[in-house]
């Protein structure tokens, strides 16, 4: 099965074997007709774009003039979770090989779909476990991946921005550009590659509270917004390295470690439910509206309202001098890269007289 390494650029570490049963070739050598069956055993392969290795213990492949059909094969991830194959390798009488294969999970059952690090993709990485399906289409040289899935427990994704964000567009496809030979003093444009290889990826994702998300404002100083929530996101990564996101993410729970690196200040705020992050293109051009609270503080309110306390009853004057819980509220709105930050102070347990 290792021969796939030479034809499918997005697959590596292929292991396993295949044997044929009653395979028949007839017709012209230029257009041979093929029929029969093949059995694959202990096949494993790594999808480079996802950094995930899958295993097929055994499967029957039906050979035809347009499709090597592996439907009903069982695929296992490294946790032993199962998914079912529909379709297989397309061709035109043993020419123009490509893919039309869908891998679908069992209903509401988990499956490992992504296991990347910052080294693999510095602008969006992590571990994704979900339920749904993925479909591969296109030629071996230019395949496309479509994912339709809901996140499940074990998902942890990272989106680094600001100081960690790339200063120029990230390119996932690297190639050399050869210049034409020129006469002395003659300038000619470089020769562009005749074919761009790589993988187009499109994701329709239902984000659930089982998934942990992190927006890393500054990794060195620990300035990180963590949370879990709900949302529907569309993600597109093309062969040129273009990366777009669309959709709204609604926070249900989370925390934000706010830091001021120049004075060594950091405080852990709790993110209030209902905050939103909205994407409409660039993952760095999101709009946020999040309120975070720093709780468990106590102080006297007397210094805030000393000039007003003369009209208060004596018991409320004493309350003003006693320690009371204080919440520091931080509201972040606007651009994800440079949010407008407003702060407020609230006293959740004050009496009505002191509140007024």
């Amino acid at each position: 099965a290792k021969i796939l390494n030479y034809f499918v650029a997005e697959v590596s570490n292929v292991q396993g074997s295949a044997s044929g049963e009653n395979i028949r070739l007839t017709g012209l050598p230029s257009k041979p007709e093929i029929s029969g069956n093949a059995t694959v055993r202990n096949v494993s392969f790594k999808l480079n774009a996802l950094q995930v290795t899958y295993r097929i213990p055994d499967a029957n492949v039906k050979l035809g003039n347009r499709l090597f059909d592996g439907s009903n094969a069982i695929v296992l991830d490294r946790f032993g979770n199962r998914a079912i194959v529909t379709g297989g390798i397309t061709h035109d009488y043993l020419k123009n090989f490509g893919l039309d294969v869908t891998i679908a999970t069992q209903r509401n059952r988990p499956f490992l779909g992504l296991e990347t690090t910052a080294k693999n993709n510095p602008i969006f990485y992590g571990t994704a476990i979900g339920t749904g399906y993925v479909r591969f289409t296109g030629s071996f040289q230019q395949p496309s991946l479509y994912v339709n899935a809901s996140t499940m427990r074990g998902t942890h994704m990272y989106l680094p921005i600001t100081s960690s964000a790339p200063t120029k567009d990230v390119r996932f496809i690297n190639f050399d550009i050869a210049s034409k030979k020129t006469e002395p003093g003659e300038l000619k444009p470089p020769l562009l590659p005749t074919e761009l290889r790589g993988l187009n990826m499109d994701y329709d994702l239902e984000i659930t509270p089982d998934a942990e998300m992190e927006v890393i404002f500054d990794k060195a100083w620990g300035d990180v917004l963590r949370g879990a929530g709900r949302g529907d996101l569309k993600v597109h990564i093309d062969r040129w390295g273009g990366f777009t996101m669309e959709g709204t993410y609604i926070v249900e729970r989370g925390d934000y470690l706010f830091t001021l690196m120049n004075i060594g200040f950091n405080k852990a705020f709790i993110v209030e439910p209902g905050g939103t992050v909205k994407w409409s293109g660039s993952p760095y051009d999101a709009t946020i509206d999040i309120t975070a609270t720093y709780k468990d503080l106590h102080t006297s309110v007397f210094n805030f309202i000393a000039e007003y306390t003369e009209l208060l009853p004596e018991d409320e004057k004493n309350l003003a001098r006693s320690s009371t819980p204080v919440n520091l509220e931080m509201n972040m709105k606007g651009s994800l890269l440079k949010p407008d930050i407003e702060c407020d102070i609230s006293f959740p347990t004050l009496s009505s007289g002191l509140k007024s």
Side-chain angles (χ1 to χ4, degrees), residues 123-317:
I123 56 177
F124 187 70
Y125 62 92
T127 299
I129 296 177
T131 183
Y133 69 90
V134 300
R135 185 183 182 193
F136 293 90
T137 56
S139 68
F140 280 175
Q141 291 73 33
Q142 293 186 324
S144 295
L145 167 67
Y146 173 71
V147 178
N148 189 303
S150 299
T151 60
M152 302 187 76
R153 186 180 302 277
T155 298
H156 200 144
M157 300 302 300
Y158 303 85
L159 179 65
I161 62 172
T162 59
S163 61
S164 299
T167 56
K168 60 182 181 179
D169 290 342
V170 174
R171 300 301 185 205
F172 297 94
I173 311 300
N174 296 315
F175 50 84
D176 294 327
I177 298 177
S179 298
K180 290 182 178 180
K181 292 182 179 180
T182 60
E183 300 297 328
E186 181 184 7
L187 296 176
K188 288 187 178 181
L191 287 171
L192 295 177
T194 57
E195 181 180 47
L196 178 67
R197 296 192 175 196
L199 185 67
N200 269 355
M201 293 182 282
D202 287 281
Y203 298 81
D204 278 327
L205 302 175
E206 179 189 6
I207 308 300
T208 68
D210 290 322
E212 298 290 332
M213 308 288 286
E214 291 193 22
V215 179
I216 304 172
F217 290 97
D218 194 307
K219 186 174 182 179
W221 292 93
D223 198 335
V224 178
L225 173 65
R226 298 181 180 89
R230 297 184 180 275
D232 293 314
L233 299 181
K234 291 181 178 292
V235 180
H236 173 74
I237 303 174
D238 63 34
R239 294 185 181 93
W240 293 99
F243 181 24
T244 61
M245 292 178 66
E246 295 181 359
T248 299
Y249 179 72
I250 302 174
V251 178
E252 290 196 1
R253 66 180 187 275
D255 60 80
Y256 174 46
L257 183 62
F258 176 68
T259 64
L260 290 174
M261 66 186 76
N262 55 339
I263 61 174
F265 171 89
N266 64 80
K267 294 294 179 183
F269 285 73
I270 301 300
V271 177
E272 298 296 323
T276 59
V277 184
K278 297 181 180 180
W279 286 275
S280 58
S282 167
Y284 303 118
D285 195 25
T287 301
I288 66 172
D289 186 353
I290 290 176
T291 297
T293 305
Y294 188 81
K295 299 181 179 180
D296 298 327
L297 296 175
H298 293 78
T299 193
S300 165
V301 299
F302 183 81
N303 289 329
F304 294 95
I305 58 172
E307 63 270 35
Y308 303 106
T309 58
E310 294 302 322
L311 300 178
L312 292 176
E314 194 63 32
D315 59 338
E316 291 201 346
K317 288 183 181 180

Side-chain angles (χ1 to χ4, degrees), residues 323-343:
S323 181
T324 187
V326 182
N327 290 339
L328 304 182
E329 295 180 355
M330 174 190 294
N331 184 252
M332 296 181 288
K333 289 185 176 181
S335 170
L336 180 66
L337 281 175
K338 295 182 179 180
D340 296 322
I341 299 178
E342 296 180 353
C343 295

Side-chain angles (χ1 to χ4, degrees), residues 67 88-91 95-100 136-141:
L67 179 69
I89 297 175
T90 62
H91 64 101
K95 297 178 182 178
N96 304 320
F97 283 89
L99 297 167
D100 188 357
F136 293 90
T137 56
S139 68
F140 280 175
Q141 291 73 33

Side-chain angles (χ1 to χ4, degrees), residues 83-106:
I84 300 174
V85 172
T86 301
I89 297 175
T90 62
H91 64 101
D92 183 13
Y93 293 92
L94 302 183
K95 297 178 182 178
N96 304 320
F97 283 89
L99 297 167
D100 188 357
V101 58
T102 299
I103 303 175
T105 69
Q106 296 172 300

